[in-house]
Amino acid sequence: MNDPGYFHWGAAWSPDGQQIAFSRGKNVGPIAPGSPVIELHIVSADGTGLRQLTNNGRNNYLPAWSPDGSRIAYISSRARLNTHEIYVIDTDGSDDTNLRCV
């Protein structure tokens, strides 16, 4: 993916091999100038249909698909500064849930 100014990492293939979930970031963070903001994205295996799943201005990374491909678990620092917790989100970006609260 040619995406000047951004970095990509933590990719995970969907169970059916049709999509990839990954973290995409840019050094524009709210904590300090130049600190990264990393959001979770999903894209089709052929590179089309890029969609951003999270939009909270914090770090969201290390996606892992559910066995049926309907949800993605990931790590996020949004709850508290310097604290990372596990969240689960539907692949359409809805029902974003902190597992600590379940």
Side-chain angles (χ1 to χ4, degrees):
M1 182 179 303
N2 185 7
D3 207 359
Y6 286 87
F7 57 89
H8 306 87
W9 60 286
W13 286 95
S14 62
D16 65 5
Q18 299 298 308
Q19 299 180 86
I20 303 167
F22 65 97
S23 298
R24 177 178 183 245
K26 190 169 189 173
N27 290 326
V28 296
I31 306 299
S35 65
V37 170
I38 304 168
E39 299 290 359
L40 196 64
H41 292 72
I42 192 170
V43 68
S44 296
D46 66 4
T48 62
L50 176 66
R51 291 182 289 128
Q52 184 171 330
L53 297 182
T54 60
N55 187 22
N56 54 51
R58 298 291 186 199
N59 294 331
N60 306 279
Y61 53 92
L62 297 177
W65 291 81
S66 64
D68 68 0
S70 67
R71 305 203 78 202
I72 299 171
Y74 66 98
I75 305 295
S76 181
S77 65
R78 83 179 82 164
R80 291 173 285 187
L81 185 60
N82 296 324
T83 299
H84 297 85
E85 297 178 332
I86 300 171
Y87 285 75
V88 179
I89 192 169
D90 288 350
T91 57
D92 65 1
S94 66
D95 198 20
D96 195 7
T97 305
N98 183 328
L99 292 185
R100 168 179 60 92
C101 299
V102 174

